[in-house]
Amino acid sequence: MPELPDVEGFRRVAKQAAHRQVREVRVHDAQVLRGVGSEAFQRTLRRRYLAEPRRHGKWLLIGTAGAANAPASPPVVLLHFGMTGNLQWCPHDAELHDHDRVVFDFAAGELRYRDMRKLTGIHLAREQDEVDDLLAGLGPDAQQIEAAEFGERLTRTRRRLKPALMDQSVIAGLGNICVDEILWRARIHPNRSTADLTDDDLDRLYREMRAMLREAVRVGRVPDGPSWLTGHRDEPDRRCPRCSTALRRTRIGGRSTLWCPTCQPD
DNA sequence: ATGTCTGTTTCCTA
DNA sequence: GTAGGAAACAGACA
């Protein structure tokens, strides 16, 4: 699930905890902690205040601030949600979910990192350099990138369009669902070569990406209403919301891909 | 029961 | 360089 719009939704969840003091951190499954042990993670965060959460691509970054003798560069929590992760703001008496892996406890409530499959997890950066290292491989955020750079980065390498759009080092934030939606709206076949894209193709791609993200971010996920391709993904008789052609489902770049053979000619 | 599928990422080989 | 497969993981489904 979690692509840019979902993580943007999690960012709003995390805002509930901003400027609050961590009373304690409960680690129910240390496996999701990456590159840091339970003890160190808990010790580092206990009694610190969380900052306003930020997002880059599919990463959620939560800075911290200490009350006194704050280090010049305070620790930052970096969360990735893999395929099934999410963030919940719960009252203390809400029953613990089977997949609640880490719980941040505040006087006002709890922030819970919930994830069924533990494909990715939570990192702790002790200083800004470590944040930079973790995000070093990412391209510009899909919501921030400007048209010129979008075109330049996308066409920098010659490859199939869909895997290029999903490549986090090219642009950060788009996943399988977002990309299918963008390509369908821009009327471009997912298998087209980046090298063959016209300026007009690139212009449409950029504008449809922006429009799709704006709407999806508003609701905190890619909408699945009838006018969205996503809404028809799992229907038995999938038809294009625009032209009613039977949708095709194939595999591109190892990922399940939904597209309309009429709107998106090869 | 066994195999296949799934919104991610990374690592390996061709 | 890019493409393809496998792995990490857990569950649903045929």
Side-chain angles (χ1 to χ4, degrees), chain A residues 100-169:
Chain A
D100 284 336
R101 312 295 186 183
V102 175
V103 176
F104 303 85
D105 181 278
F106 307 84
E110 298 178 358
L111 197 58
R112 300 181 177 178
Y113 176 83
R114 183 173 297 179
D115 190 19
M116 182 181 74
R117 296 163 78 172
K118 295 168 279 187
L119 290 174
T120 55
I122 303 176
H123 298 248
L124 180 67
R126 317 287 184 144
E127 51 183 283
Q128 188 56 40
D129 280 359
E130 292 182 27
V131 176
D132 296 343
D133 287 347
L134 280 165
L135 304 185
L138 297 180
D141 184 82
Q143 227 184 356
Q144 306 291 328
I145 194 170
E146 296 192 19
E149 193 179 9
F150 174 82
E152 192 274 317
R153 295 185 72 90
L154 201 58
T155 55
R156 181 182 291 177
T157 104
R158 179 189 196 89
R159 58 198 294 204
R160 292 175 307 168
L161 181 53
K162 172 159 177 175
L165 282 168
M166 287 206 309
D167 187 335
Q168 302 300 296
S169 71

Side-chain angles (χ1 to χ4, degrees), chain A residues 222-259:
Chain A
V222 179
D224 57 2
S227 66
W228 290 69
L229 186 69
T230 306
H232 303 271
R233 207 165 178 87
D234 299 317
E235 289 174 353
D237 180 35
R238 298 184 276 263
R239 295 197 168 269
C240 175
R242 261 192 316 242
C243 73
S244 300
T245 301
L247 294 169
R248 293 285 309 279
R249 184 132 180 191
T250 55
R251 209 157 191 86
I252 294 174
R255 310 304 301 279
S256 154
T257 302
L258 193 63
W259 52 283

Side-chain angles (χ1 to χ4, degrees), chain A residues 169-196:
Chain A
S169 71
V170 176
I171 304 160
L174 306 180
N176 200 36
I177 299 299
C178 283
V179 168
D180 278 3
E181 196 70 47
I182 292 164
L183 290 172
W184 174 72
R185 291 168 71 134
R187 300 172 182 259
I188 301 180
H189 193 284
N191 243 344
R192 286 269 303 277
S193 168
T194 52
D196 302 335

Side-chain angles (χ1 to χ4, degrees), chain A residues 66-82:
Chain A
N69 60 34
S73 176
V76 178
V77 182
L78 294 97
L79 304 98
H80 195 284
F81 300 92

